[in-house]
Amino acid sequence: MPRNNRSRRAKGNSEPEELNLNVLRQGLRRTEFKRGVEHTVQSTSGRSEDGEKSWICPHCNLTISQGLSHTVAWDSHRGLDTRRHFHNACWKAWQGSLI
């Protein structure tokens, strides 16, 4: 007799949870150290509610356009005022300070 791989859980009124797209657009936060400074780093999809938004990468000085996946980093001790947006490869190569 063939196996039945379906779940045997109750098939009551269990509705799936609504998907929160804002959480999915933001990557997991992690801590990285560069030149002895602790940075909070988060990858992002580059999508926001403001469709005309763009950022300037402090490493290569090129524009990061809306919808381009990139890395957001800030100094963990000085706070979000130091937040900067980097191309993913630029963040890996970057060794400066967040001003």
Side-chain angles (χ1 to χ4, degrees), residues 29-92:
R29 288 184 183 174
R30 62 190 184 277
T31 301
E32 292 186 20
F33 289 88
K34 289 194 180 235
R35 300 184 91 189
V37 178
E38 180 180 342
H39 296 91
T40 302
V41 181
Q42 181 174 345
S43 53
T44 180
S45 67
R47 300 182 199 275
S48 72
E49 295 176 9
D50 182 6
E52 299 177 12
K53 198 167 202 174
S54 64
W55 305 270
I56 303 294
C57 176
H59 183 72
C60 67
N61 293 321
L62 296 176
T63 301
I64 302 171
S65 59
Q66 178 75 20
L68 181 65
S69 177
H70 62 279
T71 300
V72 181
W74 60 93
D75 185 314
S76 297
H77 298 288
R78 293 190 303 167
L80 290 175
D81 292 340
T82 61
R83 180 178 53 203
R84 299 293 178 262
H85 297 253
F86 292 84
H87 294 102
N88 293 330
C90 290
W91 170 251
K92 289 178 185 175

